[in-house]
Amino acid sequence: MKCKGINKSETRKLGKTQYCNASLHPHQIYCHVCGHATPALKTDLAASQNFSSTWQEHKKEYTRSLGLGLFITLAFIIPLAILTYIFRGNYWITNLVVLLLTPFILVPFAQKEDIAFSGYLSNLKYYPQFLVLVLIAELYFFALKVICTGFLLDIMVDPVLHIVRLIMVLYGIACALPVPVLMVEKNLNPLKAIIISIKAGHETRWQQFFISLQILIANLAGALCLLAGLLVSVPLSYKLIRNYYLHMVEYELFVSPNPTVKTMENSPDRIPGRS
């Protein structure tokens, strides 16, 4: 594959358009010579293409995941929504409820092959790891709340910090999108998975953000359909994240935690990105 970017120095020198034509790795995202973007972020790594292909796949076999969608919705999503509404005035109890129930919702990320109820119970062993992940997320959101709203400090803060808080919340969600799958697939602790995910998503951050929006919209639509739509949208959410993780793996974006394995950082043929 050749780079289609314009070689600006040669173009200025010769007075006519000269292309870079550097040889590129099939999974390169940016040219290592001129920095021109390859089609990757518009094709394999595009959130839109990931949704389209995942939805086509999900439509063919969605009945197999209806049981899991029903179980997750009735056992955890609805109770979580009710309890957080009841205790909405108590920050600490609300976060305790989220801490205890959300890991149950994350357990299906451990189902590597089939997103179905049959594999749920056997993967409950991952509950403690997901509990730690949710705790880290809550500490992150707590720090933002204190810094950006003056919570517990009894001080006035600049209103612009509320916008900063919203941006950092959205950024954190985008960064952590592949973390639950990464924890299971690479057998990583939550903190290590978060660090690797942040590094791996340097070039795909916006696509991960768009996937988060797709999941939010899909589940809001599911909830509006008298909650019955959640039976379809919840399993779809797991598949959207897992499939995008697999695309990131295909593009060698994750650094191996095993130092004996060649990684992108120490490999002589490392695929460079644009800094």
Side-chain angles (χ1 to χ4, degrees):
M1 184 170 66
K2 298 292 185 180
C3 176
K4 303 300 182 181
I6 295 175
N7 187 323
K8 296 181 180 179
S9 61
E10 290 297 315
T11 297
R12 285 195 298 267
K13 185 187 300 182
L14 299 177
K16 59 180 180 179
T17 302
Q18 297 293 312
Y19 292 96
C20 174
N21 286 324
S23 295
L24 301 177
H25 187 283
H27 290 160
Q28 205 157 328
I29 300 177
Y30 290 103
C31 175
H32 56 284
V33 176
C34 68
H36 180 73
T38 69
L41 292 175
K42 296 181 180 179
T43 54
D44 296 337
L45 293 175
S48 57
Q49 181 162 307
N50 180 66
F51 184 88
S52 178
S53 60
T54 302
W55 174 243
Q56 294 303 319
E57 169 193 332
H58 189 58
K59 282 197 303 183
K60 296 177 183 178
E61 53 185 31
Y62 76 93
T63 54
R64 298 174 62 183
S65 59
L66 287 178
L68 178 65
L70 178 64
F71 174 70
I72 294 293
T73 300
L74 295 180
F76 305 117
I77 293 179
I78 292 178
L80 179 61
I82 293 173
L83 290 173
T84 51
Y85 178 78
I86 292 173
F87 296 111
R88 64 190 182 280
N90 190 311
Y91 178 82
W92 306 109
I93 295 181
T94 299
N95 277 272
L96 180 61
V97 169
V98 171
L99 176 64
L100 296 177
L101 291 183
T102 304
F104 287 110
I105 300 174
L106 299 179
V107 166
F109 282 115
Q111 296 177 228
K112 300 181 180 181
E113 300 297 331
D114 191 19
I115 303 296
F117 178 73
S118 58
Y120 184 85
L121 295 179
S122 63
N123 285 302
L124 277 174
K125 60 185 179 181
Y126 290 100
Y127 177 89
Q129 292 173 256
F130 289 130
L131 181 73
V132 175
L133 175 62
V134 176
L135 178 59
I136 293 173
E138 289 194 337
L139 291 174
Y140 173 73
F141 294 140
F142 173 74
L144 289 177
K145 185 176 180 66
V146 172
I147 295 170
C148 298
T149 70
F151 180 64
L152 297 180
L153 301 179
D154 195 26
I155 59 174
M156 295 291 293
V157 297
D158 192 317
V160 75
L161 288 177
H162 293 286
I163 300 176
V164 172
R165 182 187 179 198
L166 174 62
I167 293 172
M168 292 305 297
V169 166
L170 296 176
Y171 180 79
I173 293 172
C175 286
L177 187 76
V179 168
V181 184
L182 186 61
M183 287 169 53
V184 176
E185 293 290 335
K186 301 296 185 181
N187 194 27
L188 300 172
N189 66 67
L191 188 57
K192 181 69 173 178
I194 290 171
I195 293 172
I196 291 177
S197 179
I198 291 173
K199 292 179 179 179
H202 177 68
E203 309 293 0
T204 59
R205 195 81 72 230
W206 275 108
Q207 304 305 319
Q208 292 171 216
F209 171 71
F210 294 142
I211 292 172
S212 302
L213 284 183
Q214 291 169 351
I215 291 171
L216 174 62
I217 293 171
N219 285 289
L220 284 177
L224 290 174
C225 296
L226 300 178
L227 298 179
L230 291 175
L231 276 61
V232 175
S233 64
V234 169
L236 174 64
S237 302
Y238 298 127
K239 291 182 179 180
L240 284 171
I241 295 174
R242 172 167 283 279
N243 285 351
Y244 198 76
Y245 164 83
L246 293 176
H247 285 304
M248 295 177 72
V249 170
E250 181 184 354
Y251 273 75
E252 305 172 32
L253 297 182
F254 292 105
V255 177
S256 171
N258 186 345
T260 63
V261 178
K262 183 177 68 174
T263 68
M264 287 180 61
E265 289 188 341
N266 58 26
S267 171
D269 57 352
R270 174 176 179 264
I271 304 173
R274 182 171 61 183
S275 60

